[in-house]
Amino acid sequence: TDILKTLQLMPGVRNAGEGNAGIYVRGGGPDQNLILLDEAVVYNTGHLFGFFSVFNSDAVKSLSLIKGGMPAQYGGRLSSVIDIAMKEGNMNKTEVEGGIGLIASRVAVQGPIKKDKASFILSARRTYIDVLVKPFINKESSFYGSGYFFYDLNAKMNYKISDNDRLYASGYFGRDQFAFKNSKRSFSTSIPWGNSTATLRWNHSFSRKLFSNLSLIYNDYKFDFIGQQDNFNLRLSSGIRDLNAKTDVDFFASTSHKLKFGAQYTFHTFLPSVASGNQDSVTFSPANVQRKYANEYGVYVQDDWDVNNKIKIGYGLRYSIFQQVGRYTAFVKDANGNNLDSTKYASGQTVKAYGGLEPRFTIRYSLNDKSSIKASVNRNLQYIHLVTNAGTTLPTDIWVPSTYRVQPQKGWQYAAGYFRNFNNSMFETSLEVYYKDMQNQIEYAEGYTPNTLSDPEESFVFGKGWSYGAELFINKVKGRFTGWIGYSLSWTWRKFPDLNDELKYPSRYDRRHDL
């Protein structure tokens, strides 16, 4: 019932290992997946260090996974889109459902606020590992007070203003809380982290051919590491917050053309690895906190064209711009890392700007009513990055923007496949091949040690990557017994001159066989 765990059983999608919340799609990193919950970006998808996803199935209405041929309405990621929509609530009757598990339990309530006019759904979930374990830890134990729990809450309201207007309001709030105490060593640590999202959407129908959606979206991800030993206290924080406004218009121009176009604006706030602490009366609070700000813009147009009974074409174009803006101070350093000069940017002043066109094209050719051939090519630009430190298990994975030092990731993906149904469409089968080229990939420099006194991007190195492979999928969709088998054969390479000279090497996302 965990939808992200289910996706990991699809060909081309792999888990990042137990204890890791990310997923790898066709050789891309976990940050290269655009994961949306009612249009709000979810930056961290895992509870219990990745053993649970943050998506409660009781609140989920539908899910779409796009691995190739990404439509122009989506942008900002190289690998995939996972678009999740929450249930809207039953307008006619009240329903209650829930479940009791060994580790966590959940409950969901939905029903009408006003019959046939407005509805709601509330869904909550919590672990009780901390409650179950507590009786078995003696109060005299040096570890008394250690524990872990998570909780999350989904809520959505749907209001039918008129026959042509609907208003939707939805939100998600979730937190993990891990605590460890060792009284013998006078040591304790607390690690809270979690996401918050909120979406307000107005749907308007101008006519039977023209529809629009206007959305205001907020999302926030925070991570804290709080440690204490004797009278010394340390806090390490990181996070990202977005304010987003977007509009999408659907126009059914004719029976053979379906147009979609729109625009989007996002204001990003990044808080990478900020440390503070104190010991007795001495306070440690660096003056060079590198909080970063950015504007991201996107406009797009796409057309789904039914050329004839055999050929369908989807083509579109997206144009995006990303601006790092002030308040910000850029330093010029010598070879030893000493500051030689600095440039200060006022609030809203452009530090560095990037942009580009992102063409998208897909084609489907029906051989007959049972089989078809599909192909796609698309270009993507990714302006924000999750940088992972492979040499430590400390919480040093951070979201960073493209800046005057860090260029956006760029990717081309080519895919083609043969699709065939058997036995009166009881079985759906496909064989797909793909090739993905990725530029401006980011890693920490060799021997990097977390250092909150300097900007993390000073320790980045840059390279390129590419991935290719084949995916076989056999899905039985009818009958009393259903299910699927997926197999992937793939190669994923990286080349970073500062890490391995000019030699390519298999990346951490490389999985040769996956069944």
mmCIF file of all heavy atoms in Angstrom, residues 9-52:
data_model
loop_
_atom_site.group_PDB
_atom_site.id
_atom_site.type_symbol
_atom_site.label_atom_id
_atom_site.label_comp_id
_atom_site.label_asym_id
_atom_site.label_seq_id
_atom_site.Cartn_x
_atom_site.Cartn_y
_atom_site.Cartn_z
ATOM 1 N N LEU A 9 9.111 -1.220 -7.795
ATOM 2 C CA LEU A 9 9.009 -2.529 -8.437
ATOM 3 C C LEU A 9 8.728 -2.406 -9.933
ATOM 4 O O LEU A 9 8.510 -3.409 -10.600
ATOM 5 C CB LEU A 9 7.911 -3.355 -7.765
ATOM 6 C CG LEU A 9 8.082 -3.572 -6.263
ATOM 7 C CD1 LEU A 9 6.892 -4.301 -5.674
ATOM 8 C CD2 LEU A 9 9.365 -4.333 -5.970
ATOM 9 N N MET A 10 8.751 -1.170 -10.458
ATOM 10 C CA MET A 10 8.591 -0.951 -11.889
ATOM 11 C C MET A 10 9.964 -0.982 -12.550
ATOM 12 O O MET A 10 10.971 -0.604 -11.944
ATOM 13 C CB MET A 10 7.937 0.407 -12.143
ATOM 14 C CG MET A 10 6.579 0.589 -11.515
ATOM 15 S SD MET A 10 5.281 -0.299 -12.358
ATOM 16 C CE MET A 10 5.069 0.731 -13.804
ATOM 17 N N PRO A 11 10.044 -1.436 -13.820
ATOM 18 C CA PRO A 11 11.345 -1.413 -14.502
ATOM 19 C C PRO A 11 11.847 0.016 -14.680
ATOM 20 O O PRO A 11 11.081 0.933 -14.947
ATOM 21 C CB PRO A 11 11.042 -2.064 -15.859
ATOM 22 C CG PRO A 11 9.570 -1.909 -16.050
ATOM 23 C CD PRO A 11 8.970 -1.955 -14.679
ATOM 24 N N GLY A 12 13.159 0.195 -14.481
ATOM 25 C CA GLY A 12 13.762 1.517 -14.612
ATOM 26 C C GLY A 12 13.715 2.357 -13.360
ATOM 27 O O GLY A 12 14.302 3.438 -13.309
ATOM 28 N N VAL A 13 13.001 1.866 -12.311
ATOM 29 C CA VAL A 13 12.907 2.602 -11.050
ATOM 30 C C VAL A 13 13.496 1.727 -9.955
ATOM 31 O O VAL A 13 13.073 0.589 -9.772
ATOM 32 C CB VAL A 13 11.442 2.941 -10.707
ATOM 33 C CG1 VAL A 13 11.371 3.776 -9.436
ATOM 34 C CG2 VAL A 13 10.779 3.670 -11.872
ATOM 35 N N ARG A 14 14.492 2.264 -9.219
ATOM 36 C CA ARG A 14 15.141 1.457 -8.184
ATOM 37 C C ARG A 14 15.158 2.198 -6.863
ATOM 38 O O ARG A 14 15.217 3.425 -6.834
ATOM 39 C CB ARG A 14 16.589 1.145 -8.582
ATOM 40 C CG ARG A 14 16.637 0.150 -9.720
ATOM 41 C CD ARG A 14 17.576 0.608 -10.773
ATOM 42 N NE ARG A 14 17.284 -0.074 -12.023
ATOM 43 C CZ ARG A 14 17.937 0.171 -13.133
ATOM 44 N NH1 ARG A 14 18.877 1.064 -13.161
ATOM 45 N NH2 ARG A 14 17.611 -0.458 -14.247
ATOM 46 N N ASN A 15 15.131 1.426 -5.804
ATOM 47 C CA ASN A 15 15.258 2.078 -4.507
ATOM 48 C C ASN A 15 16.723 2.373 -4.231
ATOM 49 O O ASN A 15 17.620 1.746 -4.781
ATOM 50 C CB ASN A 15 14.650 1.214 -3.398
ATOM 51 C CG ASN A 15 15.475 -0.017 -3.103
ATOM 52 O OD1 ASN A 15 16.226 -0.495 -3.944
ATOM 53 N ND2 ASN A 15 15.335 -0.545 -1.910
ATOM 54 N N ALA A 16 16.936 3.347 -3.382
ATOM 55 C CA ALA A 16 18.289 3.771 -3.045
ATOM 56 C C ALA A 16 18.848 2.961 -1.882
ATOM 57 O O ALA A 16 19.896 3.293 -1.346
ATOM 58 C CB ALA A 16 18.292 5.258 -2.699
ATOM 59 N N GLY A 17 18.167 1.873 -1.499
ATOM 60 C CA GLY A 17 18.609 1.064 -0.369
ATOM 61 C C GLY A 17 17.782 1.372 0.858
ATOM 62 O O GLY A 17 17.343 2.502 1.063
ATOM 63 N N GLU A 18 17.529 0.361 1.670
ATOM 64 C CA GLU A 18 16.772 0.596 2.901
ATOM 65 C C GLU A 18 17.502 1.623 3.765
ATOM 66 O O GLU A 18 18.728 1.629 3.851
ATOM 67 C CB GLU A 18 16.596 -0.712 3.679
ATOM 68 C CG GLU A 18 15.720 -1.737 2.957
ATOM 69 C CD GLU A 18 14.279 -1.277 2.786
ATOM 70 O OE1 GLU A 18 13.925 -0.207 3.304
ATOM 71 O OE2 GLU A 18 13.510 -1.991 2.120
ATOM 72 N N GLY A 19 16.738 2.472 4.395
ATOM 73 C CA GLY A 19 17.343 3.551 5.161
ATOM 74 C C GLY A 19 17.641 4.769 4.319
ATOM 75 O O GLY A 19 18.235 5.729 4.779
ATOM 76 N N ASN A 20 17.211 4.736 3.036
ATOM 77 C CA ASN A 20 17.417 5.874 2.141
ATOM 78 C C ASN A 20 16.091 6.159 1.453
ATOM 79 O O ASN A 20 15.486 5.270 0.873
ATOM 80 C CB ASN A 20 18.511 5.538 1.120
ATOM 81 C CG ASN A 20 18.979 6.759 0.369
ATOM 82 O OD1 ASN A 20 18.196 7.648 0.052
ATOM 83 N ND2 ASN A 20 20.267 6.811 0.081
ATOM 84 N N ALA A 21 15.653 7.403 1.513
ATOM 85 C CA ALA A 21 14.319 7.739 1.028
ATOM 86 C C ALA A 21 14.268 7.937 -0.477
ATOM 87 O O ALA A 21 13.191 8.008 -1.052
ATOM 88 C CB ALA A 21 13.827 9.018 1.721
ATOM 89 N N GLY A 22 15.402 8.053 -1.146
ATOM 90 C CA GLY A 22 15.401 8.407 -2.557
ATOM 91 C C GLY A 22 15.110 7.236 -3.470
ATOM 92 O O GLY A 22 15.190 6.071 -3.082
ATOM 93 N N ILE A 23 14.755 7.548 -4.713
ATOM 94 C CA ILE A 23 14.633 6.537 -5.753
ATOM 95 C C ILE A 23 15.453 6.991 -6.958
ATOM 96 O O ILE A 23 15.646 8.188 -7.187
ATOM 97 C CB ILE A 23 13.168 6.277 -6.156
ATOM 98 C CG1 ILE A 23 12.506 7.549 -6.687
ATOM 99 C CG2 ILE A 23 12.381 5.699 -5.009
ATOM 100 C CD1 ILE A 23 11.116 7.311 -7.239
ATOM 101 N N TYR A 24 15.961 6.008 -7.695
ATOM 102 C CA TYR A 24 16.762 6.270 -8.884
ATOM 103 C C TYR A 24 15.939 5.874 -10.108
ATOM 104 O O TYR A 24 15.429 4.750 -10.178
ATOM 105 C CB TYR A 24 18.048 5.441 -8.889
ATOM 106 C CG TYR A 24 18.901 5.569 -7.650
ATOM 107 C CD1 TYR A 24 19.718 4.517 -7.240
ATOM 108 C CD2 TYR A 24 18.908 6.732 -6.889
ATOM 109 C CE1 TYR A 24 20.524 4.623 -6.112
ATOM 110 C CE2 TYR A 24 19.698 6.842 -5.767
ATOM 111 C CZ TYR A 24 20.505 5.783 -5.373
ATOM 112 O OH TYR A 24 21.289 5.890 -4.255
ATOM 113 N N VAL A 25 15.811 6.758 -11.069
ATOM 114 C CA VAL A 25 15.062 6.482 -12.293
ATOM 115 C C VAL A 25 16.006 6.598 -13.482
ATOM 116 O O VAL A 25 16.561 7.666 -13.733
ATOM 117 C CB VAL A 25 13.874 7.450 -12.452
ATOM 118 C CG1 VAL A 25 13.140 7.185 -13.767
ATOM 119 C CG2 VAL A 25 12.914 7.311 -11.279
ATOM 120 N N ARG A 26 16.220 5.468 -14.156
ATOM 121 C CA ARG A 26 17.045 5.411 -15.358
ATOM 122 C C ARG A 26 18.401 6.085 -15.159
ATOM 123 O O ARG A 26 18.847 6.899 -15.963
ATOM 124 C CB ARG A 26 16.299 6.022 -16.546
ATOM 125 C CG ARG A 26 15.134 5.163 -17.013
ATOM 126 C CD ARG A 26 14.431 5.715 -18.236
ATOM 127 N NE ARG A 26 13.475 4.736 -18.779
ATOM 128 C CZ ARG A 26 12.654 4.961 -19.792
ATOM 129 N NH1 ARG A 26 12.659 6.139 -20.390
ATOM 130 N NH2 ARG A 26 11.835 4.010 -20.230
ATOM 131 N N GLY A 27 19.050 5.755 -14.046
ATOM 132 C CA GLY A 27 20.405 6.225 -13.809
ATOM 133 C C GLY A 27 20.533 7.625 -13.263
ATOM 134 O O GLY A 27 21.644 8.133 -13.099
ATOM 135 N N GLY A 28 19.419 8.271 -12.949
ATOM 136 C CA GLY A 28 19.469 9.617 -12.383
ATOM 137 C C GLY A 28 19.463 9.588 -10.867
ATOM 138 O O GLY A 28 19.076 8.592 -10.249
ATOM 139 N N GLY A 29 19.883 10.670 -10.257
ATOM 140 C CA GLY A 29 19.919 10.769 -8.807
ATOM 141 C C GLY A 29 18.553 11.057 -8.221
ATOM 142 O O GLY A 29 17.593 11.368 -8.931
ATOM 143 N N PRO A 30 18.430 10.958 -6.888
ATOM 144 C CA PRO A 30 17.133 11.195 -6.243
ATOM 145 C C PRO A 30 16.621 12.619 -6.422
ATOM 146 O O PRO A 30 15.413 12.852 -6.358
ATOM 147 C CB PRO A 30 17.394 10.867 -4.767
ATOM 148 C CG PRO A 30 18.875 10.927 -4.603
ATOM 149 C CD PRO A 30 19.466 10.550 -5.914
ATOM 150 N N ASP A 31 17.526 13.580 -6.631
ATOM 151 C CA ASP A 31 17.089 14.961 -6.824
ATOM 152 C C ASP A 31 16.559 15.217 -8.229
ATOM 153 O O ASP A 31 15.983 16.269 -8.500
ATOM 154 C CB ASP A 31 18.228 15.932 -6.527
ATOM 155 C CG ASP A 31 19.390 15.787 -7.492
ATOM 156 O OD1 ASP A 31 19.664 14.645 -7.908
ATOM 157 O OD2 ASP A 31 20.031 16.806 -7.828
ATOM 158 N N GLN A 32 16.755 14.259 -9.148
ATOM 159 C CA GLN A 32 16.338 14.458 -10.537
ATOM 160 C C GLN A 32 14.902 14.005 -10.789
ATOM 161 O O GLN A 32 14.456 13.948 -11.927
ATOM 162 C CB GLN A 32 17.299 13.737 -11.480
ATOM 163 C CG GLN A 32 18.694 14.342 -11.475
ATOM 164 C CD GLN A 32 19.654 13.631 -12.403
ATOM 165 O OE1 GLN A 32 19.307 12.650 -13.052
ATOM 166 N NE2 GLN A 32 20.873 14.120 -12.466
ATOM 167 N N ASN A 33 14.161 13.685 -9.711
ATOM 168 C CA ASN A 33 12.761 13.306 -9.821
ATOM 169 C C ASN A 33 11.889 14.445 -9.303
ATOM 170 O O ASN A 33 12.065 14.907 -8.178
ATOM 171 C CB ASN A 33 12.476 12.038 -9.011
ATOM 172 C CG ASN A 33 13.420 10.910 -9.354
ATOM 173 O OD1 ASN A 33 13.572 10.538 -10.518
ATOM 174 N ND2 ASN A 33 14.091 10.369 -8.344
ATOM 175 N N LEU A 34 10.957 14.892 -10.132
ATOM 176 C CA LEU A 34 10.009 15.920 -9.721
ATOM 177 C C LEU A 34 8.823 15.221 -9.058
ATOM 178 O O LEU A 34 8.005 14.589 -9.734
ATOM 179 C CB LEU A 34 9.540 16.737 -10.933
ATOM 180 C CG LEU A 34 8.523 17.840 -10.662
ATOM 181 C CD1 LEU A 34 9.108 18.903 -9.743
ATOM 182 C CD2 LEU A 34 8.020 18.447 -11.959
ATOM 183 N N ILE A 35 8.740 15.304 -7.733
ATOM 184 C CA ILE A 35 7.692 14.620 -6.976
ATOM 185 C C ILE A 35 6.706 15.668 -6.479
ATOM 186 O O ILE A 35 7.068 16.576 -5.719
ATOM 187 C CB ILE A 35 8.292 13.818 -5.813
ATOM 188 C CG1 ILE A 35 9.302 12.789 -6.365
ATOM 189 C CG2 ILE A 35 7.198 13.119 -5.017
ATOM 190 C CD1 ILE A 35 10.015 11.995 -5.305
ATOM 191 N N LEU A 36 5.466 15.564 -6.941
ATOM 192 C CA LEU A 36 4.439 16.563 -6.664
ATOM 193 C C LEU A 36 3.288 15.940 -5.886
ATOM 194 O O LEU A 36 2.833 14.837 -6.203
ATOM 195 C CB LEU A 36 3.889 17.140 -7.972
ATOM 196 C CG LEU A 36 4.892 17.795 -8.923
ATOM 197 C CD1 LEU A 36 4.225 18.106 -10.257
ATOM 198 C CD2 LEU A 36 5.472 19.061 -8.310
ATOM 199 N N LEU A 37 2.813 16.648 -4.879
ATOM 200 C CA LEU A 37 1.606 16.279 -4.143
ATOM 201 C C LEU A 37 0.622 17.434 -4.276
ATOM 202 O O LEU A 37 0.842 18.507 -3.706
ATOM 203 C CB LEU A 37 1.925 16.003 -2.673
ATOM 204 C CG LEU A 37 0.730 15.625 -1.795
ATOM 205 C CD1 LEU A 37 0.105 14.313 -2.256
ATOM 206 C CD2 LEU A 37 1.140 15.530 -0.323
ATOM 207 N N ASP A 38 -0.437 17.238 -5.061
ATOM 208 C CA ASP A 38 -1.360 18.333 -5.383
ATOM 209 C C ASP A 38 -0.585 19.571 -5.843
ATOM 210 O O ASP A 38 -0.791 20.679 -5.334
ATOM 211 C CB ASP A 38 -2.253 18.659 -4.187
ATOM 212 C CG ASP A 38 -3.510 17.812 -4.159
ATOM 213 O OD1 ASP A 38 -3.676 16.975 -5.059
ATOM 214 O OD2 ASP A 38 -4.334 17.982 -3.229
ATOM 215 N N GLU A 39 0.332 19.358 -6.771
ATOM 216 C CA GLU A 39 1.133 20.390 -7.442
ATOM 217 C C GLU A 39 2.268 20.952 -6.584
ATOM 218 O O GLU A 39 3.092 21.715 -7.087
ATOM 219 C CB GLU A 39 0.258 21.544 -7.945
ATOM 220 C CG GLU A 39 -0.834 21.117 -8.909
ATOM 221 C CD GLU A 39 -1.633 22.292 -9.434
ATOM 222 O OE1 GLU A 39 -2.532 22.766 -8.695
ATOM 223 O OE2 GLU A 39 -1.362 22.742 -10.562
ATOM 224 N N ALA A 40 2.334 20.605 -5.303
ATOM 225 C CA ALA A 40 3.402 21.104 -4.430
ATOM 226 C C ALA A 40 4.588 20.140 -4.466
ATOM 227 O O ALA A 40 4.416 18.922 -4.346
ATOM 228 C CB ALA A 40 2.903 21.268 -2.996
ATOM 229 N N VAL A 41 5.792 20.684 -4.602
ATOM 230 C CA VAL A 41 6.995 19.856 -4.643
ATOM 231 C C VAL A 41 7.274 19.273 -3.262
ATOM 232 O O VAL A 41 7.215 19.977 -2.247
ATOM 233 C CB VAL A 41 8.206 20.688 -5.111
ATOM 234 C CG1 VAL A 41 9.484 19.848 -5.081
ATOM 235 C CG2 VAL A 41 7.967 21.233 -6.519
ATOM 236 N N VAL A 42 7.569 17.973 -3.225
ATOM 237 C CA VAL A 42 7.956 17.303 -1.981
ATOM 238 C C VAL A 42 9.449 16.989 -2.083
ATOM 239 O O VAL A 42 9.868 16.208 -2.933
ATOM 240 C CB VAL A 42 7.151 16.013 -1.757
ATOM 241 C CG1 VAL A 42 7.603 15.315 -0.484
ATOM 242 C CG2 VAL A 42 5.655 16.324 -1.691
ATOM 243 N N TYR A 43 10.270 17.612 -1.235
ATOM 244 C CA TYR A 43 11.723 17.474 -1.332
ATOM 245 C C TYR A 43 12.256 16.250 -0.594
ATOM 246 O O TYR A 43 13.309 15.734 -0.936
ATOM 247 C CB TYR A 43 12.402 18.742 -0.801
ATOM 248 C CG TYR A 43 12.306 19.896 -1.760
ATOM 249 C CD1 TYR A 43 11.407 20.942 -1.542
ATOM 250 C CD2 TYR A 43 13.092 19.949 -2.903
ATOM 251 C CE1 TYR A 43 11.307 22.000 -2.419
ATOM 252 C CE2 TYR A 43 13.002 21.005 -3.785
ATOM 253 C CZ TYR A 43 12.109 22.030 -3.539
ATOM 254 O OH TYR A 43 12.005 23.071 -4.429
ATOM 255 N N ASN A 44 11.567 15.822 0.442
ATOM 256 C CA ASN A 44 11.997 14.635 1.176
ATOM 257 C C ASN A 44 10.826 13.666 1.253
ATOM 258 O O ASN A 44 9.762 14.007 1.777
ATOM 259 C CB ASN A 44 12.463 14.995 2.590
ATOM 260 C CG ASN A 44 12.953 13.779 3.353
ATOM 261 O OD1 ASN A 44 14.029 13.248 3.083
ATOM 262 N ND2 ASN A 44 12.159 13.328 4.316
ATOM 263 N N THR A 45 11.008 12.452 0.737
ATOM 264 C CA THR A 45 9.876 11.533 0.583
ATOM 265 C C THR A 45 9.853 10.409 1.610
ATOM 266 O O THR A 45 9.024 9.516 1.504
ATOM 267 C CB THR A 45 9.904 10.907 -0.824
ATOM 268 O OG1 THR A 45 11.148 10.189 -0.995
ATOM 269 C CG2 THR A 45 9.771 11.971 -1.899
ATOM 270 N N GLY A 46 10.750 10.414 2.610
ATOM 271 C CA GLY A 46 10.862 9.261 3.487
ATOM 272 C C GLY A 46 10.612 9.541 4.953
ATOM 273 O O GLY A 46 11.034 10.559 5.497
ATOM 274 N N HIS A 47 9.895 8.605 5.593
ATOM 275 C CA HIS A 47 9.831 8.507 7.043
ATOM 276 C C HIS A 47 10.744 7.364 7.484
ATOM 277 O O HIS A 47 11.052 6.461 6.706
ATOM 278 C CB HIS A 47 8.403 8.182 7.511
ATOM 279 C CG HIS A 47 7.440 9.322 7.442
ATOM 280 N ND1 HIS A 47 7.708 10.558 7.982
ATOM 281 C CD2 HIS A 47 6.193 9.414 6.900
ATOM 282 C CE1 HIS A 47 6.666 11.357 7.781
ATOM 283 N NE2 HIS A 47 5.741 10.683 7.123
ATOM 284 N N LEU A 48 11.121 7.377 8.759
ATOM 285 C CA LEU A 48 11.912 6.305 9.352
ATOM 286 C C LEU A 48 13.147 6.012 8.494
ATOM 287 O O LEU A 48 13.457 4.887 8.146
ATOM 288 C CB LEU A 48 11.057 5.043 9.544
ATOM 289 C CG LEU A 48 11.664 3.876 10.354
ATOM 290 C CD1 LEU A 48 12.101 4.351 11.730
ATOM 291 C CD2 LEU A 48 10.692 2.737 10.474
ATOM 292 N N PHE A 49 13.856 7.092 8.120
ATOM 293 C CA PHE A 49 15.088 6.998 7.335
ATOM 294 C C PHE A 49 14.866 6.218 6.037
ATOM 295 O O PHE A 49 15.744 5.493 5.566
ATOM 296 C CB PHE A 49 16.209 6.367 8.164
ATOM 297 C CG PHE A 49 16.480 7.096 9.450
ATOM 298 C CD1 PHE A 49 15.963 6.642 10.650
ATOM 299 C CD2 PHE A 49 17.221 8.263 9.457
ATOM 300 C CE1 PHE A 49 16.188 7.325 11.836
ATOM 301 C CE2 PHE A 49 17.454 8.956 10.641
ATOM 302 C CZ PHE A 49 16.940 8.487 11.827
ATOM 303 N N GLY A 50 13.677 6.360 5.460
ATOM 304 C CA GLY A 50 13.413 5.769 4.156
ATOM 305 C C GLY A 50 12.606 4.500 4.160
ATOM 306 O O GLY A 50 12.244 4.002 3.090
ATOM 307 N N PHE A 51 12.276 3.940 5.301
ATOM 308 C CA PHE A 51 11.520 2.686 5.331
ATOM 309 C C PHE A 51 10.047 2.901 4.982
ATOM 310 O O PHE A 51 9.384 1.999 4.492
ATOM 311 C CB PHE A 51 11.645 2.010 6.693
ATOM 312 C CG PHE A 51 12.990 1.386 6.920
ATOM 313 C CD1 PHE A 51 13.986 2.058 7.614
ATOM 314 C CD2 PHE A 51 13.281 0.132 6.414
ATOM 315 C CE1 PHE A 51 15.225 1.491 7.815
ATOM 316 C CE2 PHE A 51 14.525 -0.440 6.613
ATOM 317 C CZ PHE A 51 15.500 0.237 7.313
ATOM 318 N N PHE A 52 9.499 4.090 5.257
ATOM 319 C CA PHE A 52 8.153 4.459 4.849
ATOM 320 C C PHE A 52 8.251 5.674 3.930
ATOM 321 O O PHE A 52 9.151 6.499 4.075
ATOM 322 C CB PHE A 52 7.286 4.879 6.050
ATOM 323 C CG PHE A 52 6.883 3.763 6.965
ATOM 324 C CD1 PHE A 52 7.722 3.342 7.985
ATOM 325 C CD2 PHE A 52 5.649 3.149 6.828
ATOM 326 C CE1 PHE A 52 7.351 2.329 8.842
ATOM 327 C CE2 PHE A 52 5.256 2.138 7.682
ATOM 328 C CZ PHE A 52 6.113 1.719 8.691
#
